[in-house]
Amino acid sequence: MQIRAQDLAQLASPADVIFDALREGITDGTLAEGEVLRQDNIARMFNVSRIPVREALTRLEEQGLVTTQRYRGAVVASLSLDEIEEIFEFRSLIEPEVVRHSVVVASQESLDLARDYADRFGHEEDPKNWGHLNRQLHYMLYRDCGRPYFLQVVDSALNRIERYQRLQLTLTSGMDRARREHQAIVEACIARDADQAAELTRAHILGAGRSLLDFLERVRKG
Amino acid sequence: MQIRAQDLAQLASPADVIFDALREGITDGTLAEGEVLRQDNIARMFNVSRIPVREALTRLEEQGLVTTQRYRGAVVASLSLDEIEEIFEFRSLIEPEVVRHSVVVASQESLDLARDYADRFGHEEDPKNWGHLNRQLHYMLYRDCGRPYFLQVVDSALNRIERYQRLQLTLTSGMDRARREHQAIVEACIARDADQAAELTRAHILGAGRSLLDFLERVRKG
DNA sequence: GTATTGAATATTGGATCCAATTCTGAGAGC
DNA sequence: GCTCTCAGAATTGGATCCAATATTCAATAC
């Protein structure tokens, strides 16, 4: 029997590559909200026809990262303050439970990595990386929870607000606070204190959401 | 200015129609789990080319209702017992909060309709309709919560397990119990008792999940 | 000068064709 | 009889072409 590479690792299709690239651009803010995504432009950028581009856009729309109108194309989705608030409320319900379940069974490796990320947090130079670092840190605290569906749903929610959340991290106050809270959460996890870790996670999310919304209200209103 | 129909109601594309039809078939159990969905067959059924079919399948995969492998086609997704359990756990976190927020502001119309559905529940003839009735009832209790994202996420979760949940409703004990619990939830909502409604909803979901899993374990194991 | 029309252009969506991969089954080898 | 091989069939994925719709902008009407 012949060894087929795709049996070991599903080969990435052009549509996958394009999907990942666009998602990255949307979550890290490279693509501005409301920006129109022209199938032709994207296709040329990746040296493919529009077919895989369409597939990528379809998937992005299903994920809520772009909105499309028939015959009018896709634009990078933008969230109202209410929608952002709702997603933080959602996270504040789910992520504490994820942490609670993780803490009990978390591997030493996950905890070590979480501590590393928490230490590096705030000492990173490039603000471009803060969003990534934040995501990786949270992922380390979540990944052992044994609930793939929860992780997937949280991931999807994070994708929607990451572009906004990084705005808040840019504020030094937001960054300081996030670093302190991350440290505390990691401590609780290392101490295997599930209730404490869950409650700190809840407070962290609600606090970050509140401060982000305050900031956005100032920016958008006056 | 000319009146354009699509300004008033976004015209349904072939891909929308196919997506809805397949989703319906998957959630109501018409399409068996693991069944292969051939692009050509579906295209012929709807008298279109495979292009809109591909779009529908892409969206269904993003929703978790089908799984696809490159060059090997799409099959109706099937859930392990663990995955089903996880979705019930997820619902038990989200839906009580949705009800809690709805109860405070629910319109009289929503409450009346909820009561109607609860009364009809169990007196419907055709088991095919039970799933629909269940969904409609819950939707009436949820729709005024002012949280579109929550509703969307709950809807997605319900789509994944509806095909299994209807199995449980088929058991007379499951049906009786669901009817009683629905009545109680509706009563609490009409009384505007948010805490009570939320707690009853939580218990209802966990109970239904437990009884469904017991049933499935008996069926699947021995 | 401003609003309106309509033709030209641009863009998306669907059909068809072609390429890449998987599946199937008949036949060879043992 | 059983397994392996490989050629043909079936299927999916991508490219290209065409149709449907939206957008733009110059020309016209007022």
Side-chain angles (χ1 to χ4, degrees), chain A residues 160-175:
Chain A
R160 295 196 192 211
I161 52 161
E162 184 164 337
R163 63 157 54 242
Y164 303 104
Q165 183 141 20
R166 66 189 317 119
L167 282 179
Q168 186 242 339
L169 285 180
T170 309
L171 308 170
T172 54
S173 65
M175 195 51 162

Side-chain angles (χ1 to χ4, degrees), chain B residues 64-208:
Chain B
L65 296 181
V66 309
T67 57
T68 64
Q69 283 186 298
R70 200 163 147 77
Y71 290 113
R72 300 176 61 142
V75 301
V76 177
S78 57
L79 296 180
S80 68
L81 295 180
D82 281 350
E83 289 169 321
I84 294 171
E85 184 171 16
E86 194 185 346
I87 289 184
F88 274 97
E89 183 188 350
F90 179 78
R91 291 183 55 199
S92 78
L93 285 175
I94 300 302
E95 292 181 47
E97 290 310 303
V98 169
V99 168
R100 184 191 305 283
H101 293 298
S102 279
V103 160
V104 185
V105 297
S107 70
Q108 194 57 47
E109 189 192 2
S110 295
L111 295 175
D112 289 345
L113 284 168
R115 177 180 276 292
D116 284 350
Y117 286 130
D119 287 341
R120 282 170 52 197
F121 199 78
H123 299 123
E124 261 305 318
E125 332 69 49
D126 190 359
K128 266 277 183 192
N129 297 329
W130 292 353
H132 274 299
L133 205 50
N134 194 37
R135 282 292 277 276
Q136 285 173 305
L137 165 54
H138 281 243
Y139 182 59
M140 286 306 138
L141 297 175
Y142 297 166
R143 70 173 184 180
D144 296 330
C145 73
R147 283 160 177 77
Y149 183 67
F150 277 57
L151 291 183
Q152 181 186 317
V153 170
V154 166
D155 209 55
S156 175
L158 288 175
N159 279 338
R160 295 197 191 210
I161 51 161
E162 184 165 337
R163 64 158 53 243
Y164 304 103
Q165 183 142 20
R166 64 190 317 121
L167 281 180
Q168 185 243 342
L169 284 180
T170 309
L171 309 170
T172 53
S173 64
M175 195 50 161
D176 284 348
R177 177 176 168 171
R179 189 173 56 240
R180 281 198 313 276
E181 293 179 351
H182 286 165
Q183 297 277 3
I185 294 170
V186 171
E187 293 303 328
C189 290
I190 291 173
R192 306 281 180 180
D193 185 340
D195 285 343
Q196 175 78 347
E199 177 50 32
L200 289 173
T201 299
R202 201 182 77 92
H204 172 58
I205 292 167
L206 288 176

Side-chain angles (χ1 to χ4, degrees), chain A residues 13-15 47-52 55 71-72:
Chain A
S13 69
N47 276 307
V48 293
S49 76
R50 284 164 42 226
I51 293 284
E55 186 185 325
Y71 291 112
R72 300 179 59 145

Side-chain angles (χ1 to χ4, degrees), chain A:
Chain A
M1 167 177 162
Q2 191 185 348
I3 294 169
R4 288 170 299 184
Q6 58 269 39
D7 284 347
L8 304 172
Q10 180 88 312
L11 234 42
S13 69
D16 290 332
V17 175
I18 296 168
F19 175 77
D20 286 341
L22 290 177
R23 188 190 50 193
E24 187 72 11
I26 292 170
T27 56
D28 78 6
T30 305
L31 296 167
E33 65 183 350
E35 185 165 343
V36 184
L37 303 175
R38 293 278 167 231
Q39 296 176 5
D40 243 342
N41 293 346
I42 299 167
R44 268 194 297 274
M45 280 195 269
F46 291 90
N47 276 307
V48 293
S49 76
R50 284 164 42 226
I51 293 284
V53 176
R54 278 197 245 178
E55 186 185 325
L57 291 174
T58 298
R59 287 163 59 185
L60 288 167
E61 176 170 35
E62 212 61 27
Q63 292 269 324
L65 297 181
V66 309
T67 57
T68 63
Q69 283 186 298
R70 200 162 147 75
Y71 291 112
R72 300 179 59 145
V75 301
V76 177
S78 58
L79 296 180
S80 68
L81 295 180
D82 281 350
E83 288 168 323
I84 293 171
E85 185 171 16
E86 194 185 345
I87 289 183
F88 274 98
E89 183 188 349
F90 179 78
R91 292 183 54 199
S92 77
L93 285 174
I94 300 302
E95 292 180 48
E97 289 310 305
V98 169
V99 168
R100 184 192 306 281
H101 293 298
S102 280
V103 161
V104 184
V105 296
S107 70
Q108 194 56 48
E109 189 193 3
S110 295
L111 295 175
D112 289 344
L113 284 168
R115 177 180 277 292
D116 284 349
Y117 286 129
D119 287 341
R120 282 171 50 197
F121 199 78
H123 299 124
E124 262 304 319
E125 332 68 49
D126 190 357
K128 266 277 182 192
N129 297 330
W130 293 353
H132 274 298
L133 205 50
N134 193 37
R135 282 292 275 275
Q136 284 173 306
L137 166 55
H138 281 245
Y139 182 61
M140 285 308 137
L141 298 175
Y142 297 166
R143 68 174 184 179
D144 296 329
C145 73
R147 283 160 178 76
Y149 183 68
F150 277 59
L151 291 182
Q152 181 186 317
V153 170
V154 166
D155 207 54
S156 175
L158 289 176
N159 278 338
R160 295 196 192 211
I161 52 161
E162 184 164 337
R163 63 157 54 242
Y164 303 104
Q165 183 141 20
R166 66 189 317 119
L167 282 179
Q168 186 242 339
L169 285 180
T170 309
L171 308 170
T172 54
S173 65
M175 195 51 162
D176 284 348
R177 176 175 169 173
R179 189 173 56 240
R180 281 199 313 276
E181 293 179 351
H182 286 164
Q183 297 277 6
I185 293 171
V186 171
E187 293 303 329
C189 289
I190 290 172
R192 306 281 182 183
D193 186 340
D195 286 342
Q196 174 79 346
E199 176 50 33
L200 288 173
T201 300
R202 200 183 78 92
H204 172 57
I205 292 167
L206 288 177
R210 192 64 265 148
S211 115
L212 172 58
L213 284 165
D214 286 346
F215 173 65
L216 287 177
E217 269 161 26
R218 281 201 304 277
V219 170
R220 292 195 184 184
K221 296 288 152 57

